Every structure is written in C-alpha cells, then in structure tokens.
Amino acid sequence: MIEEILINAGPRRHRIALVQGGRLVELYLAESGGRLPERIILGRVKTVQSDLDAAFIDIGEGREGLLPARDAAVKRGTPIGRAVQEGLSLLVQVRREAEGEKGAKLSARPRLAGRALVLLPQGQDITLSGRIPDDKQRDHLLAVAKYIQKNHGGGLILRSAAAVTDDAGLEREADELWRRWQAIQAAAGSARPPMLLDAGDAPLSVILREHSGPSLRRIRVDDAALAADLRRAWGGWGDDIPALELHAESQPLFREHDLEDQIETALAQQVTLPSGGRIILEHTQALTAIDVDSARHDGAGDQARLARETNTQAAREIARQLRLREIGGRVVIDFIPMQGRGQVATLLRKLQAWLTDDPGQVRLGRMSEMGLVELTRRRRQPALALRLGEVCSLCQGSGLRPTARAVADNLLDRILREADAAKGRPLAVRAAPAVVADLGGGDGDILAGLARDRGCRVQLTADGSLTLEEFEVTTLK
C-alpha cells in the first residue's frame, strides 16, 4: 500500500512518485498541456478487421485508436462486425495511450470515476471494492447504491473510499457524475467526428484519487502554488485526507529521498539484490524474460540456502519492478532451481502476496517442470523506459537513449537549482542544439519566465560538439 506521494513540480512537467517503505513503486510524468487520461472522444470507425476482432477508430490524434470487440459492444461476446460498421460515429474513451507504433487503446463503454464511485452509464451491475471487508457495511453500501441506481440508472462501482463517505456524499458524487455524462451526451449530439467531448481529469487529481487510501500518510510537494491548489481541491473531501507538506529544504525533494538513483536503476537491465544476487531483465516483442542469478556463487557454502534466499529477494524485487517499469503482457521468470515442492510453493505464495497491491491485475501461473514461472500483467500506461527515453536508431531498438525533451527537463531542473544558489547572478548554459531548440531557444518563454519569476538571467548557447545528454551550467560573476 502506498505510504507517501512525492511531487516534484517543474516548469513543463510534474513528476509524481508513489513511495512504499521508502522505495519508489510507481512514477508518473504529468506534462503541462498534455493529453489527459480517460478522455472521451466522438470518433469515426475507419476500418473493421474481423481477423483481429477489432476496429480502428479515427480519434483526431494522428494515429487511429484500436477498439477490441470485447470493448465495442454492450453485450460481451458480440463479434466486431456486428458491433460497429465502417463510417459509423462512435463515442469512445481512451483507456491506454498510444505507444510506439501502436495507437491508443479504446473502449466504447465509458466510465466516469469519482473519489468514492465509478459510474458506468451503459452498465447495470453494482460492484463493491474487495477492500471493504465489513459485511454489515457492505450491505448498507449496497442498499445506498441501489437507491442511487433507481434514481439514475446505469452501473456503479463503489470504491474503498465509499466506506468513509456518508450517504449524502455518495448521492452528491453520483449526481455530479451523471451531470457530467449528460453534458457529454449533449455535446455528442451536435459534434462532428473526430471531436473531443470530455478532456478527462488531470493526472495529478487521478493519482491522488486512486491512492488516497488509509495507508497514505502524507504528500510532499516542492512548489507552494501547487500545494495551495491541492489544499483547495481537497476542500470537499472532509477529514479523510493525508497530511500535505511543502518541501522547502535546500536539497531537492527527489534527491533527499534517493529517488533519482532509483529512477536510474529502473532503466537498467540488471538490478542488484541485497544478498549479492541479481535479476536480469530482457524485453522482446513477445514477452519479458527475467533471469534470477546468485551472481556470487563460487560452489562453496549452503547452495540450498543461497538459492532460497536469492529467490525470495528476487520475487519481492520483481513484484516492484513490474509495477515501477510498467511491464505488461507475458512475463517469464527463471528462478534458481530449488529442491522440494514445499520450497517452490512457499516462494510462489510470497510472490503472489507481493503482487496483491499491483493495480495491473497480475495473473500468476505455476512453476513448470523446467523451473519457469509465467505471469501476465495488464499495462495501464506506456512503459517507464519509453516515457523517459526513445528507441536508439543506431542500435535498432536494442537499447534506449534519452529524448531531447527528457534531457531538456533535466537541464531545467539543474537551472532552477543553480538559480536559487546564484542569488540573482546570471547563468551561462551550453547544451546540444536539439535540447536548446526544445527549450525554445535563448529568447523563449521558458527562460524569460525564469528571469521574471526568479530574477535569474540565463544565457543559453547551442553547442554542436556536445552529445544530446551533455550540458554545462556556469554561474557568472
């Protein structure tokens, strides 16, 4: 369960870190002006492909989105050819952003999420979160949900926050969600596809809503204006909110909590374990292979104990890395061979327990005769490596390099730190031409804003002798 949320506010993006036990579990990047998750669009069906049992939808975002048959019709099991026709205007919701050469994944069964409720306008079922254990409370919430459904219709999901929300609050949230749905329908009636009907909720609001459970102790923000915005947004949340703290220390927030190193490790092929062992991750188009290696075994000592210890540490770290790196699809793990079915069963039980909190809906299989464990995980956003880097054209996809945008954002972070330390003195900055261009050049709005807001003038120079990742920041007298 998430214990802390740390937010690093930058000029163009916010980095939002979910932390558990002092370790990074998930990292979100919320870019200013970027597309918002779960936006609703009136699209147009471009092609229907029966062999894929899916349709491609023009949603006005360059690449067409993919609509699988299972998400295309109210009644599950309906073939795609009977669910939609080419040229049809269709209201869809983005469930997963475009990634690589793949377009966004869509659903024709939209859902509107609140803090305590999720509205399924085209549904009929009422579902209660499994994290509400008290039977008496579940019975009461079910009765409230049926009353709400009688007034509005549709399906409802009651989230864990419903357990700490009074009946009137649940009804108010249901009314707000239904008004939002009616506005979407009204906009669709006069729109010409492709047309954005509902922009969705801001990523920061979604993250806080999804993770504001009883385990969340505090949220730390390194920007006073953003902290004030969050306090205003929580005005109607009642008393059930975590402590909100403004980070005002000289040490940057992410560095103080050792998150920068953890982010760098999340992009590495190998992860070292406390015992001295390691896990090695290899990605292919078909699957992700994870090899567990003792790394320091020299043939001496208790081999059975070493295997058991390394495998246990690896299982825990693998559960974390799947979520942190946003690894999806099929995953095959090659653990160190162990003797006895009892040891294998114990290892798999521990792995299953560590996967329980993963929102990626992990399905864990048994260990095969060859000692391999297979699992599947649903990815909810592009892999972390692709959000922080891009496929290298020189190595044809065998490695990653930072994007100009990622380097520029890192440079901005450095400039902000140096500006605070310089106390009004100008800064001379040299960077690769692509990075300078991404910042808008020396006369761009970003650097002009720094001069206006922080009283720090920046002389930005494009230097073709620097690699994309290199930059220099110097304080002038």
Side-chain angles (χ1 to χ4, degrees):
M1 303 294 286
I2 301 304
E3 298 169 354
E4 288 184 298
I5 296 179
L6 308 178
I7 305 172
N8 165 228
R12 297 193 300 189
R13 67 173 183 180
H14 297 335
R15 293 190 297 171
I16 305 146
L18 308 187
V19 178
Q20 180 178 340
R23 305 194 72 196
L24 181 64
V25 175
E26 285 190 64
L27 179 68
Y28 291 87
L29 305 176
E31 297 205 10
S32 176
R35 294 170 180 151
L36 302 184
E38 299 197 344
R39 58 196 177 276
I40 296 177
I41 301 166
L42 183 66
R44 186 179 298 282
V45 180
K46 294 291 289 185
T47 57
V48 175
Q49 296 198 0
S50 300
D51 55 336
L52 297 177
D53 206 18
F56 288 93
I57 313 296
D58 178 11
I59 56 175
E61 296 181 358
R63 280 174 292 182
E64 296 167 357
L66 178 69
L67 177 65
R70 63 178 179 274
D71 296 319
V74 174
K75 185 178 180 181
R76 294 184 182 274
T78 304
I80 191 65
R82 292 176 55 190
V84 299
Q85 294 80 43
E86 292 183 4
L88 177 73
S89 297
L90 188 65
L91 190 148
V92 293
Q93 184 174 41
V94 176
R95 289 292 174 82
R96 194 173 70 205
E97 296 294 343
E99 178 178 347
E101 297 181 355
K102 297 179 180 179
K105 187 176 180 181
L106 310 174
S107 173
R109 291 195 295 271
R111 45 187 285 163
L112 301 178
R115 179 169 176 259
L117 300 174
V118 178
L119 172 64
L120 311 173
Q122 300 174 358
Q124 297 178 340
D125 297 334
I126 296 175
T127 305
L128 272 67
S129 168
R131 294 183 178 177
I132 305 175
D134 185 81
D135 290 338
K136 187 175 181 180
Q137 189 174 41
R138 292 178 68 88
D139 290 341
H140 174 74
L141 289 173
L142 182 59
V144 174
K146 288 181 178 178
Y147 175 79
I148 292 173
Q149 187 182 57
K150 183 178 179 181
N151 291 336
H152 295 295
L156 288 171
I157 298 174
L158 275 70
R159 316 178 73 173
S160 57
V164 292
T165 306
D166 59 28
D167 297 355
L170 293 175
E171 292 182 41
R172 282 195 302 271
E173 186 168 294
D175 290 341
E176 292 171 1
L177 293 175
W178 270 105
R179 282 195 294 270
R180 182 174 168 186
W181 174 243
Q182 289 168 347
I184 291 170
Q185 288 184 303
S190 59
R192 296 182 60 183
M195 176 68 69
L196 178 66
L197 303 178
D198 185 272
D201 296 321
L204 184 55
S205 299
V206 173
I207 293 164
L208 297 181
R209 184 180 68 209
E210 296 293 324
H211 298 286
S212 62
S215 65
L216 182 61
R217 295 185 289 104
R218 66 174 181 174
I219 298 171
R220 299 193 71 192
V221 188
D222 63 4
D223 181 80
L226 181 57
D229 288 343
L230 291 176
R231 288 191 179 97
R232 283 192 294 269
W234 288 341
W237 280 30
D239 297 328
D240 184 46
I241 59 173
L244 178 63
E245 300 177 4
L246 177 63
H247 176 80
E249 305 297 328
S250 58
Q251 176 95 339
L253 177 61
F254 273 32
R255 292 206 176 275
E256 180 180 292
H257 290 263
D258 191 36
L259 296 186
E260 301 291 6
D261 290 341
Q262 293 185 51
I263 293 171
E264 184 175 344
T265 301
L267 300 178
Q269 185 183 31
Q270 299 183 16
V271 179
T272 303
L273 302 173
S275 65
R278 62 186 178 181
I279 60 174
I280 305 168
L281 300 96
E282 295 278 358
H283 302 283
T284 71
Q285 290 187 345
L287 56 84
T288 298
I290 303 178
D291 181 53
V292 181
D293 182 10
S294 64
R296 62 182 176 87
H297 180 52
D298 57 5
D302 188 342
Q303 298 182 33
R305 182 193 59 79
L306 178 62
R308 185 171 61 251
E309 180 184 75
T310 304
N311 281 340
T312 301
Q313 293 178 2
R316 185 165 198 162
E317 186 61 30
I318 288 168
R320 173 175 172 261
Q321 292 292 330
L322 291 175
R323 187 173 178 182
L324 175 57
R325 297 177 186 235
E326 197 62 83
I327 295 173
R330 185 180 172 208
V331 179
V332 176
I333 308 170
D334 186 5
F335 284 106
I336 299 172
M338 295 189 300
Q339 298 178 355
R341 293 184 178 180
Q343 291 188 15
V344 171
T346 298
L347 176 65
L348 293 182
R349 280 198 301 270
K350 290 180 178 180
L351 177 56
Q352 181 66 71
W354 287 319
L355 292 169
T356 299
D357 290 334
D358 191 330
Q361 299 181 3
V362 181
R363 295 180 59 188
L364 179 64
R366 300 178 179 178
M367 183 175 285
S368 71
E369 293 181 1
M370 303 300 293
L372 302 177
V373 174
E374 185 174 335
L375 61 84
T376 60
R377 183 180 184 276
R378 189 179 70 176
R379 187 163 55 223
R380 299 169 301 133
Q381 59 177 327
L384 180 64
L386 292 179
R387 282 178 279 145
L388 294 175
E390 64 185 1
V391 177
C392 176
S393 59
L394 297 177
C395 62
Q396 296 300 310
S398 64
L400 291 164
R401 60 175 295 187
T403 62
R405 168 57 58 92
V407 175
D409 283 329
N410 289 337
L411 176 55
L412 273 177
D413 290 340
R414 172 74 178 278
I415 290 173
L416 290 174
R417 294 199 302 272
E418 296 292 342
D420 289 339
K423 298 180 179 179
R425 288 176 292 173
L427 300 177
V429 178
R430 295 170 56 242
V435 174
V436 172
D438 191 79
L439 290 173
D443 300 323
D445 293 340
I446 294 174
L447 298 186
L450 286 175
R452 181 183 65 251
D453 299 336
R454 304 214 176 199
C456 181
R457 185 167 53 86
V458 178
Q459 300 174 6
L460 181 61
T461 304
D463 188 338
S465 67
L466 297 177
T467 66
L468 184 69
E469 297 91 340
E470 294 178 323
F471 53 76
E472 296 178 1
V473 180
T474 306
T475 302
L476 302 178
K477 295 182 179 180

